[in-house]
Amino acid sequence: MGNNMPQKPQNAADLKKLLKQYNNILTPQNKQFITELIQRLENGSDKAGLQDLAQRMQRAAKQAKK
């Protein structure tokens, strides 16, 4: 286990730490996505809601690369 990859966030608390840690480099759109994800996780969002959020994040990422 010699890699220094950050662990994937496991829950809303991990996401909040990431949001704080990377606050200065995240775009406003990414901050909004992460904030929404935290809210959905804390409120026990359904799978469809999480999939919808994931699809919107993917679309935004593709548009950002253009």
Side-chain angles (χ1 to χ4, degrees), residues 29-45:
Q29 186 178 43
N30 283 340
K31 287 181 198 176
Q32 176 60 43
F33 281 139
I34 294 171
T35 302
E36 184 177 340
L37 180 55
I38 290 167
Q39 290 169 344
R40 285 179 182 271
L41 289 171
E42 287 180 337
N43 295 330
S45 181

Side-chain angles (χ1 to χ4, degrees), residues 4-23:
N4 287 335
M5 290 294 292
Q7 284 192 310
K8 285 185 181 172
Q10 299 297 313
N11 53 39
D14 287 353
L15 287 167
K16 286 179 184 175
K17 281 186 220 156
L18 283 176
L19 196 56
K20 199 174 282 185
Q21 187 176 354
Y22 295 107
N23 190 45

